[in-house]
mmCIF file of all heavy atoms in Angstrom:
data_model
loop_
_atom_site.group_PDB
_atom_site.id
_atom_site.type_symbol
_atom_site.label_atom_id
_atom_site.label_comp_id
_atom_site.label_asym_id
_atom_site.label_seq_id
_atom_site.Cartn_x
_atom_site.Cartn_y
_atom_site.Cartn_z
ATOM 1 N N THR A 56 88.937 23.420 130.340
ATOM 2 C CA THR A 56 88.311 24.218 129.331
ATOM 3 C C THR A 56 88.330 23.451 128.027
ATOM 4 O O THR A 56 89.349 23.081 127.500
ATOM 5 C CB THR A 56 89.081 25.562 129.137
ATOM 6 O OG1 THR A 56 89.129 26.206 130.431
ATOM 7 C CG2 THR A 56 88.377 26.433 128.156
ATOM 8 N N LEU A 57 87.113 23.218 127.481
ATOM 9 C CA LEU A 57 87.007 22.525 126.203
ATOM 10 C C LEU A 57 86.483 23.506 125.165
ATOM 11 O O LEU A 57 85.598 24.333 125.475
ATOM 12 C CB LEU A 57 86.027 21.344 126.307
ATOM 13 C CG LEU A 57 86.453 20.250 127.264
ATOM 14 C CD1 LEU A 57 85.360 19.211 127.377
ATOM 15 C CD2 LEU A 57 87.722 19.598 126.812
ATOM 16 N N PHE A 58 86.934 23.405 123.959
ATOM 17 C CA PHE A 58 86.451 24.175 122.837
ATOM 18 C C PHE A 58 86.463 25.674 123.068
ATOM 19 O O PHE A 58 85.460 26.345 123.051
ATOM 20 C CB PHE A 58 85.028 23.745 122.442
ATOM 21 C CG PHE A 58 84.909 22.262 122.218
ATOM 22 C CD1 PHE A 58 84.161 21.479 123.021
ATOM 23 C CD2 PHE A 58 85.637 21.681 121.196
ATOM 24 C CE1 PHE A 58 84.084 20.113 122.834
ATOM 25 C CE2 PHE A 58 85.577 20.302 120.969
ATOM 26 C CZ PHE A 58 84.805 19.541 121.776
ATOM 27 N N GLY A 59 87.622 26.217 123.343
ATOM 28 C CA GLY A 59 87.737 27.664 123.459
ATOM 29 C C GLY A 59 88.123 28.042 124.863
ATOM 30 O O GLY A 59 89.128 27.634 125.374
ATOM 31 N N GLY A 60 87.276 28.848 125.515
ATOM 32 C CA GLY A 60 87.579 29.308 126.839
ATOM 33 C C GLY A 60 88.053 30.738 126.806
ATOM 34 O O GLY A 60 87.407 31.584 126.186
ATOM 35 N N THR A 68 92.359 31.798 119.626
ATOM 36 C CA THR A 68 91.163 31.204 120.198
ATOM 37 C C THR A 68 90.782 29.899 119.513
ATOM 38 O O THR A 68 91.193 29.632 118.406
ATOM 39 C CB THR A 68 89.951 32.168 120.045
ATOM 40 O OG1 THR A 68 89.773 32.420 118.670
ATOM 41 C CG2 THR A 68 90.149 33.426 120.823
ATOM 42 N N GLY A 69 89.979 29.103 120.192
ATOM 43 C CA GLY A 69 89.323 27.955 119.587
ATOM 44 C C GLY A 69 90.057 26.658 119.617
ATOM 45 O O GLY A 69 89.412 25.619 119.684
ATOM 46 N N ILE A 70 91.361 26.610 119.527
ATOM 47 C CA ILE A 70 92.081 25.341 119.499
ATOM 48 C C ILE A 70 93.031 25.275 120.692
ATOM 49 O O ILE A 70 93.247 26.254 121.375
ATOM 50 C CB ILE A 70 92.807 25.150 118.165
ATOM 51 C CG1 ILE A 70 93.753 26.285 117.852
ATOM 52 C CG2 ILE A 70 91.858 24.971 117.032
ATOM 53 C CD1 ILE A 70 94.537 26.126 116.588
ATOM 54 N N GLY A 71 93.591 24.116 120.938
ATOM 55 C CA GLY A 71 94.398 23.904 122.100
ATOM 56 C C GLY A 71 95.808 24.510 122.021
ATOM 57 O O GLY A 71 96.567 24.419 122.971
ATOM 58 N N ILE A 72 96.115 25.123 120.908
ATOM 59 C CA ILE A 72 97.421 25.777 120.728
ATOM 60 C C ILE A 72 97.185 27.162 120.243
ATOM 61 O O ILE A 72 96.074 27.585 119.972
ATOM 62 C CB ILE A 72 98.326 24.953 119.773
ATOM 63 C CG1 ILE A 72 97.536 24.529 118.498
ATOM 64 C CG2 ILE A 72 98.809 23.662 120.430
ATOM 65 C CD1 ILE A 72 97.867 25.331 117.351
ATOM 66 N N ASN A 73 98.276 27.938 120.097
ATOM 67 C CA ASN A 73 98.159 29.314 119.626
ATOM 68 C C ASN A 73 97.764 29.368 118.175
ATOM 69 O O ASN A 73 98.480 28.853 117.299
ATOM 70 C CB ASN A 73 99.470 30.054 119.899
ATOM 71 C CG ASN A 73 99.394 31.505 119.577
ATOM 72 O OD1 ASN A 73 99.460 31.902 118.417
ATOM 73 N ND2 ASN A 73 99.163 32.336 120.585
ATOM 74 N N SER A 74 96.631 30.016 117.877
ATOM 75 C CA SER A 74 96.168 30.038 116.504
ATOM 76 C C SER A 74 97.066 30.855 115.588
ATOM 77 O O SER A 74 97.132 30.580 114.402
ATOM 78 C CB SER A 74 94.729 30.544 116.444
ATOM 79 O OG SER A 74 94.668 31.876 116.902
ATOM 80 N N TRP A 77 99.864 28.622 114.638
ATOM 81 C CA TRP A 77 99.373 27.588 113.739
ATOM 82 C C TRP A 77 99.250 28.129 112.313
ATOM 83 O O TRP A 77 99.765 27.520 111.375
ATOM 84 C CB TRP A 77 98.022 27.096 114.254
ATOM 85 C CG TRP A 77 97.406 26.062 113.363
ATOM 86 C CD1 TRP A 77 96.404 26.218 112.465
ATOM 87 C CD2 TRP A 77 97.789 24.674 113.279
ATOM 88 N NE1 TRP A 77 96.118 25.069 111.820
ATOM 89 C CE2 TRP A 77 96.933 24.083 112.315
ATOM 90 C CE3 TRP A 77 98.737 23.906 113.915
ATOM 91 C CZ2 TRP A 77 97.045 22.749 111.970
ATOM 92 C CZ3 TRP A 77 98.820 22.570 113.558
ATOM 93 C CH2 TRP A 77 97.983 22.003 112.608
ATOM 94 N N ARG A 78 98.585 29.264 112.173
ATOM 95 C CA ARG A 78 98.387 29.820 110.834
ATOM 96 C C ARG A 78 99.695 30.237 110.221
ATOM 97 O O ARG A 78 99.941 30.088 109.031
ATOM 98 C CB ARG A 78 97.406 30.995 110.877
ATOM 99 C CG ARG A 78 95.977 30.512 111.130
ATOM 100 C CD ARG A 78 95.017 31.647 111.026
ATOM 101 N NE ARG A 78 95.341 32.663 112.015
ATOM 102 C CZ ARG A 78 94.746 33.805 112.153
ATOM 103 N NH1 ARG A 78 93.748 34.144 111.315
ATOM 104 N NH2 ARG A 78 95.097 34.657 113.077
ATOM 105 N N LEU A 81 101.556 27.217 108.850
ATOM 106 C CA LEU A 81 101.013 26.757 107.597
ATOM 107 C C LEU A 81 101.352 27.706 106.462
ATOM 108 O O LEU A 81 101.686 27.286 105.360
ATOM 109 C CB LEU A 81 99.486 26.610 107.716
ATOM 110 C CG LEU A 81 99.007 25.441 108.577
ATOM 111 C CD1 LEU A 81 97.493 25.462 108.701
ATOM 112 C CD2 LEU A 81 99.469 24.098 108.053
ATOM 113 N N SER A 91 100.345 15.476 107.425
ATOM 114 C CA SER A 91 99.457 15.500 108.568
ATOM 115 C C SER A 91 99.452 16.860 109.212
ATOM 116 O O SER A 91 100.483 17.506 109.309
ATOM 117 C CB SER A 91 99.877 14.397 109.567
ATOM 118 O OG SER A 91 99.104 14.494 110.756
ATOM 119 N N ALA A 92 98.256 17.297 109.668
ATOM 120 C CA ALA A 92 98.165 18.560 110.400
ATOM 121 C C ALA A 92 97.096 18.371 111.493
ATOM 122 O O ALA A 92 95.916 18.145 111.211
ATOM 123 C CB ALA A 92 97.757 19.682 109.451
ATOM 124 N N ASP A 93 97.557 18.434 112.754
ATOM 125 C CA ASP A 93 96.673 18.207 113.902
ATOM 126 C C ASP A 93 96.565 19.509 114.699
ATOM 127 O O ASP A 93 97.478 19.796 115.499
ATOM 128 C CB ASP A 93 97.209 17.096 114.739
ATOM 129 C CG ASP A 93 96.410 16.858 116.025
ATOM 130 O OD1 ASP A 93 95.287 17.387 116.116
ATOM 131 O OD2 ASP A 93 96.866 16.123 116.896
ATOM 132 N N PRO A 94 95.530 20.337 114.533
ATOM 133 C CA PRO A 94 95.448 21.608 115.233
ATOM 134 C C PRO A 94 95.226 21.467 116.737
ATOM 135 O O PRO A 94 95.513 22.405 117.477
ATOM 136 C CB PRO A 94 94.231 22.303 114.581
ATOM 137 C CG PRO A 94 93.413 21.206 114.037
ATOM 138 C CD PRO A 94 94.395 20.086 113.662
ATOM 139 N N PHE A 95 94.665 20.339 117.190
ATOM 140 C CA PHE A 95 94.469 20.170 118.640
ATOM 141 C C PHE A 95 95.745 19.724 119.320
ATOM 142 O O PHE A 95 96.006 20.115 120.464
ATOM 143 C CB PHE A 95 93.333 19.170 118.880
ATOM 144 C CG PHE A 95 92.019 19.704 118.337
ATOM 145 C CD1 PHE A 95 91.537 19.197 117.153
ATOM 146 C CD2 PHE A 95 91.322 20.681 118.991
ATOM 147 C CE1 PHE A 95 90.327 19.653 116.644
ATOM 148 C CE2 PHE A 95 90.122 21.168 118.493
ATOM 149 C CZ PHE A 95 89.635 20.675 117.301
ATOM 150 N N GLY A 96 96.559 18.915 118.666
ATOM 151 C CA GLY A 96 97.832 18.496 119.259
ATOM 152 C C GLY A 96 98.976 19.453 118.896
ATOM 153 O O GLY A 96 100.018 19.421 119.520
ATOM 154 N N GLY A 97 98.763 20.272 117.877
ATOM 155 C CA GLY A 97 99.769 21.251 117.491
ATOM 156 C C GLY A 97 100.938 20.652 116.723
ATOM 157 O O GLY A 97 102.079 21.100 116.879
ATOM 158 N N VAL A 98 100.683 19.682 115.891
ATOM 159 C CA VAL A 98 101.749 19.027 115.105
ATOM 160 C C VAL A 98 101.436 19.116 113.618
ATOM 161 O O VAL A 98 100.326 18.772 113.206
ATOM 162 C CB VAL A 98 101.936 17.547 115.520
ATOM 163 C CG1 VAL A 98 102.988 16.876 114.683
ATOM 164 C CG2 VAL A 98 102.238 17.417 116.964
ATOM 165 N N ILE A 99 102.408 19.594 112.845
ATOM 166 C CA ILE A 99 102.316 19.623 111.382
ATOM 167 C C ILE A 99 103.468 18.793 110.842
ATOM 168 O O ILE A 99 104.633 19.054 111.209
ATOM 169 C CB ILE A 99 102.411 21.064 110.871
ATOM 170 C CG1 ILE A 99 101.289 21.925 111.442
ATOM 171 C CG2 ILE A 99 102.365 21.084 109.330
ATOM 172 C CD1 ILE A 99 101.437 23.411 111.181
ATOM 173 N N ILE A 118 106.687 20.261 112.607
ATOM 174 C CA ILE A 118 106.579 21.485 113.387
ATOM 175 C C ILE A 118 105.716 21.199 114.595
ATOM 176 O O ILE A 118 104.611 20.608 114.463
ATOM 177 C CB ILE A 118 105.938 22.617 112.548
ATOM 178 C CG1 ILE A 118 106.809 22.887 111.325
ATOM 179 C CG2 ILE A 118 105.713 23.862 113.382
ATOM 180 C CD1 ILE A 118 106.192 23.862 110.357
ATOM 181 N N TYR A 119 106.196 21.558 115.759
ATOM 182 C CA TYR A 119 105.494 21.360 117.025
ATOM 183 C C TYR A 119 105.124 22.724 117.588
ATOM 184 O O TYR A 119 106.006 23.570 117.816
ATOM 185 C CB TYR A 119 106.356 20.632 118.055
ATOM 186 C CG TYR A 119 106.831 19.301 117.580
ATOM 187 C CD1 TYR A 119 108.146 19.194 117.034
ATOM 188 C CD2 TYR A 119 106.073 18.142 117.670
ATOM 189 C CE1 TYR A 119 108.612 17.948 116.609
ATOM 190 C CE2 TYR A 119 106.529 16.930 117.229
ATOM 191 C CZ TYR A 119 107.801 16.833 116.712
ATOM 192 O OH TYR A 119 108.272 15.630 116.276
ATOM 193 N N ILE A 120 103.850 22.968 117.812
ATOM 194 C CA ILE A 120 103.401 24.206 118.479
ATOM 195 C C ILE A 120 103.074 23.798 119.900
ATOM 196 O O ILE A 120 102.169 22.997 120.135
ATOM 197 C CB ILE A 120 102.201 24.826 117.746
ATOM 198 C CG1 ILE A 120 102.649 25.138 116.327
ATOM 199 C CG2 ILE A 120 101.744 26.088 118.496
ATOM 200 C CD1 ILE A 120 101.547 25.553 115.417
ATOM 201 N N MET A 121 103.830 24.348 120.877
ATOM 202 C CA MET A 121 103.816 23.811 122.205
ATOM 203 C C MET A 121 103.181 24.692 123.271
ATOM 204 O O MET A 121 103.275 24.398 124.442
ATOM 205 C CB MET A 121 105.244 23.467 122.608
ATOM 206 C CG MET A 121 105.902 22.526 121.630
ATOM 207 S SD MET A 121 107.576 22.065 122.071
ATOM 208 C CE MET A 121 108.429 23.564 121.834
ATOM 209 N N ASP A 122 102.532 25.780 122.845
ATOM 210 C CA ASP A 122 101.970 26.689 123.835
ATOM 211 C C ASP A 122 100.779 27.407 123.307
ATOM 212 O O ASP A 122 100.638 27.555 122.073
ATOM 213 C CB ASP A 122 103.030 27.707 124.269
ATOM 214 C CG ASP A 122 102.826 28.282 125.638
ATOM 215 O OD1 ASP A 122 101.657 28.229 126.125
ATOM 216 O OD2 ASP A 122 103.779 28.778 126.244
ATOM 217 N N ARG A 123 99.911 27.841 124.171
ATOM 218 C CA ARG A 123 98.765 28.649 123.782
ATOM 219 C C ARG A 123 99.131 30.128 123.650
ATOM 220 O O ARG A 123 98.416 30.895 123.069
ATOM 221 C CB ARG A 123 97.613 28.528 124.782
ATOM 222 C CG ARG A 123 96.880 27.211 124.656
ATOM 223 C CD ARG A 123 95.601 27.197 125.440
ATOM 224 N NE ARG A 123 94.743 28.321 125.189
ATOM 225 C CZ ARG A 123 93.837 28.417 124.216
ATOM 226 N NH1 ARG A 123 93.716 27.448 123.366
ATOM 227 N NH2 ARG A 123 93.089 29.484 124.058
#
Side-chain angles (χ1 to χ4, degrees):
T56 303
L57 298 175
F58 307 115
T68 58
I70 55 179
I72 46 102
N73 185 279
S74 63
W77 178 257
R78 289 186 300 175
L81 291 175
S91 174
D93 178 12
F95 296 103
V98 178
I99 301 170
I118 300 173
Y119 304 97
I120 300 170
M121 303 181 291
D122 204 339
R123 285 193 49 87

